[in-house]
Amino acid sequence: MKRREFLTKTGTAAAAAVAASALGAPAVIAQPKYQWKMVTTWPPNMPVLQTGADRFAKRVEEVSEGRMKIQVFAAGELVPALGVFDAVSDGTVECGSGAGYYWAGKVPAAQWFSAVPFGFNPQGINAWFYSGGGLQLWEEVYAPFNVIPRPQGNTGVQMGGWFRKEMKTIDDFKGLKMRIPGLGGKVVAKAGGTVVLLAGGEIFTSLERGVLDATEWVGPLHDLRMGFYKAASYYYYPGWHEPGTCLEVMFNKKAYEGLPRDLQLILDTVAAETNLWSLCEFEAGNGAALQSLIADHNVNLLQFPEAMMDALRKMAEETLEEEADKDPMSRKVHDAYKKFKAQVGIWGTVADSAYFKVIADEYQLKKS
Ligand code: CA
C-alpha cells in the first residue's frame, strides 16, 4: 500500500518536473522520502571508522537514487560516543555506528559480536555472521532493545598497544593503567591492571600526561595518526585482545521496519559492502604506516613474550567463562561462538597460518 502510494507520488513528481522543464521553469528537486540521522562513537573524520559511516550514508543515498538520506553525526555532535546504542534503542535517531563492546554495561552479550580475546580473526567472524548463524544470534541479542544490528566494518587483527615501559612478564600488568575496551580489558584486569575505557578523542592526552601507562587503539594506520609514538615508545604485537574487531551499524527496529523492502535491502547490502571495504582499507594501509612508525618515528616494535601470551590466554578462557555465567544470553552466545571457532580454527591453522609462516621471510621492516 505504502509502496504503491510512493510510486504514484514519484510518478507525479517526475511528470511535473518534465512539464516544468518543457516550460522553461526551474526544475523542482524532490525531497528524499526518508531522512534519517546516524550517530557514531568515532571522532570526526577518523579514517575508515567515521569516514566509513559517512561513506555508508552517501552510498545509501546514491543506491536509493536519493529516496533515502542519512545525516551522520560524529561522537559528541549529537550524543556522546558511549550513548549511541541508547539513542538508537529509544528512537532519538534511526541509526548508529559503533562496536558492540561499548554497550557491555547494558548488553553484556554484545561483546562477543565485536571482539573476543584470542577469538576470531576477520575471516572467522565474517564466516560466523554470514554463514554460521552469528548474525541471527546477534539480532536476537539486540531485539529486546528494539535495535537491529549489521556488521559494517572490520579492523583486521589489531596491535597489542602502546606501553611507556617494556613488558617482560605477565607481572608487568600489575598496577598498569591501560585503556583497553571489552573482554580484553577484563583479562587485563584479571592480570592486575587498572582498566580505563576512554573514547578515541581522549586517549592521547591521558597517555601523554601519564594518566595512562598504556593504551591500545587499532593498528598502525590509525595509531600513527593518533600520534601515540610521542607519548609511549614500546609498540607491541599481536592484538590478542582484538584479533578481528567487527564494527557495527544499528537500526532502530521501528524505523527499519517502516521502510519498504527494497530500502531495507539497500541498507543491508551497503552495510555488507562497507564491511568489506573497511577491512580492505586497513589491510591496504597498515603495512606502510607500520614501516613509517619504525623508520620515521623510531618506535620500538616488540612481540609479546610467548610465556605472557600463554598466561593471558589462560586468563582469557577463565574470563570468558565467568562472563558467560553472568547471564543466559551471554552463555548462549559464548557457546555458539566457541563451537564455530573450533570449526574454522581447524581450517585456518592448515590454510592461512601455515601459508604465512612459509612466506614470512619475504617481509622485513627497515629501520631508518
Ligand atoms: Ca582496539
Side-chain angles (χ1 to χ4, degrees), residues 101-102 155 158-159 179-181 216-219 241-242 245:
Y101 49 47
Y102 289 131
T155 64
Q158 297 199 2
M159 284 294 287
R179 182 269 177 194
I180 174 169
E216 67 78 62
W217 178 230
V218 189
H241 62 299
E242 296 196 62
T245 303

Side-chain angles (χ1 to χ4, degrees), residues 161-177:
W162 297 86
F163 296 77
R164 287 160 69 94
K165 62 168 190 182
E166 205 174 334
M167 298 294 286
K168 290 176 181 159
T169 75
I170 189 73
D171 289 339
D172 289 329
F173 278 99
K174 284 182 184 150
L176 188 87
K177 287 172 285 176

Side-chain angles (χ1 to χ4, degrees), residues 198-356:
L198 292 175
E202 306 157 63
I203 307 171
F204 179 80
T205 314
S206 303
L207 188 64
E208 195 183 32
R209 290 181 186 163
V211 176
L212 291 174
D213 302 314
T215 186
E216 67 78 62
W217 178 230
V218 189
L221 180 66
H222 284 68
D223 294 7
L224 173 63
R225 180 190 163 95
M226 295 285 265
F228 294 137
Y229 58 86
K230 294 176 208 159
S233 67
Y234 298 98
Y235 195 26
Y236 275 91
Y237 69 96
W240 57 273
H241 62 299
E242 296 196 62
T245 303
C246 175
L247 315 171
E248 66 190 12
V249 60
M250 304 172 285
F251 307 117
N252 174 275
K253 189 167 179 279
K254 200 176 154 200
Y256 182 89
E257 287 178 352
L259 295 174
R261 182 67 187 139
D262 67 325
L263 285 181
Q264 291 176 350
L265 279 175
I266 284 172
L267 290 177
D268 293 354
T269 307
V270 175
E273 190 259 355
T274 311
N275 189 26
L276 173 65
W277 170 84
S278 154
L279 179 61
C280 294
E281 288 292 301
F282 282 110
E283 285 295 304
N286 272 332
L290 183 60
Q291 179 62 71
S292 170
L293 284 166
I294 306 304
D296 308 331
H297 302 293
N298 214 21
V299 163
N300 298 307
L301 180 71
L302 294 168
Q303 187 167 3
F304 284 124
E306 209 171 305
M308 185 189 284
M309 284 293 97
D310 290 346
L312 287 171
R313 268 179 82 181
K314 197 166 165 287
M315 288 177 195
E317 245 182 83
E318 290 165 13
T319 302
L320 289 167
E321 289 301 328
E322 285 161 17
E323 291 300 309
D325 280 341
K326 284 183 185 169
D327 77 302
M329 189 51 95
S330 292
R331 169 53 64 193
K332 187 176 175 180
V333 173
H334 174 62
D335 289 351
Y337 187 106
K338 212 172 153 180
K339 194 174 165 213
F340 197 75
K341 187 184 162 224
Q343 200 176 314
V344 296
I346 287 169
W347 174 237
T349 306
V350 170
D352 297 68
S353 70
Y355 170 69
F356 271 108

